Structures are given as C-alpha cells and as structure tokens.
Amino acid sequence: MVEEDHTEGFIENLKTESDSDKAALMTELQETLNDAFQKLSVKHRTVITLFEIDGLSHKEIADIVGTSIGTVRSRLHYAKQFLQGELKDYIR
C-alpha cells in the first residue's frame, strides 16, 4: 500500500479554497500541532518553547533549566524531529 501524500493536497487547498475553508484547514493544522506538542515531555516542551517562541539562546535555556548546553541541543533536536514526524502530512 502506497502512503498518500497529504502535504501537496493540504498546501494546494490553502491556495485555492475559500476563506472559510482555509480557516477550517488552519484550525485542523493548529489542533494537530497542539496535540503533537502535548505528546512531548515537559522537558522537551520547555526547551522548544524557550528557543522557538521566546527566542532564547542555548546558553540562556541551559541556565534556566539547570542543564548543559549539549542537553539543550539534544532536547531541541529530538523535539523538532518528533514534531516534524507528527506534522508530516502538513509540511514538506
């Protein structure tokens, strides 16, 4: 069985659908992202939030969470890979 490529369809729908349909598609994406984010451990959610949303450096995050910069980088890498896997139908 060949896995369907939902990415192309999702992006194409965003380009061509009406505003209400686009809003529904974006709501679907937001819900999927929220679900995926909640599946991360607290440690991984914290690090990715501080880095991607708050814009802190690896050093600043390490100081806040009380760990090494290497651990921060590792957690970021894992969290990003996990989220990419969960959102594979929406991203290229």
Side-chain angles (χ1 to χ4, degrees), residues 21-63:
D21 290 338
K22 285 180 188 177
L25 290 169
M26 290 307 294
T27 298
E28 175 187 333
L29 176 58
Q30 183 66 47
E31 288 173 359
T32 303
L33 177 59
N34 288 341
D35 290 344
F37 198 72
Q38 291 304 313
K39 290 178 184 177
L40 289 169
S41 72
V42 172
K43 291 177 180 181
H44 289 92
R45 275 198 311 262
T46 300
V47 168
I48 202 158
T49 299
L50 292 172
F51 185 76
E52 294 294 343
I53 297 173
D54 296 333
L56 299 182
S57 70
H58 294 157
K59 168 104 173 75
E60 291 169 318
I61 296 167
D63 291 343

Side-chain angles (χ1 to χ4, degrees), residues 4-15:
E4 215 176 310
D5 182 8
H6 297 284
T7 305
E8 275 302 316
F10 184 82
I11 292 171
E12 196 58 38
N13 284 340
L14 282 178
K15 293 177 185 176

